[in-house]
């Protein structure tokens, strides 16, 4: 079994937009999950992207997990417009407290 480098997720705030960024040691490209802020209590998960070099590493799910944790910490709900976030939210009923379908 090969050791996969850990995924590091950070958040960048851009007024009405934001993004969770995934980085991995040894990979120059980055993954991102973009959001649009509708209000203080509602965001839209717009798009999730993981470059080919990150496929299968759990990077995309790590960004979604960071979004879920952020929503819980800050008290907002998420509209999963992004097909990946929507699919993950259907697999994780325990996220129902922050997902708004």
């Amino acid at each position: 079994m090969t050791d996969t480098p850990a995924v590091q997720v950070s958040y960048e705030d851009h007024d009405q937009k934001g993004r969770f960024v995934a980085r991995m040691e040894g990979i120059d490209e980055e993954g991102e999950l973009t959001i649009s802020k509708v209000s203080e209590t509602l965001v839209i998960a717009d798009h999730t992207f993981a470059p080919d070099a990150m496929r299968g590493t759990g990077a995309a799910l790590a960004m979604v997990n960071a979004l879920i944790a952020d929503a819980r910490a800050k008290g907002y709900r998420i509209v999963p417009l992004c097909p990946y976030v929507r699919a993950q939210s259907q697999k994780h009923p325990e996220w129902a407290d922050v997902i708004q379908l």
Side-chain angles (χ1 to χ4, degrees), residues 18 20 31-36 43-50 55 59-61 63-65 67-68 78-91 95 99-101:
F20 291 85
E32 73 172 1
L33 188 165
T34 61
I35 62 169
S36 296
V43 304
I44 296 170
D46 300 311
H47 177 71
T48 304
F49 169 76
R55 298 275 162 93
L61 185 56
M63 291 184 289
V64 178
N65 282 328
L67 171 63
I68 297 299
I78 304 158
V79 176
L81 185 62
C82 165
Y84 181 78
V85 177
R86 180 175 289 276
Q88 288 301 318
S89 69
Q90 292 170 344
K91 292 179 183 179
W95 295 350
I99 296 293
Q100 181 169 314
L101 298 175

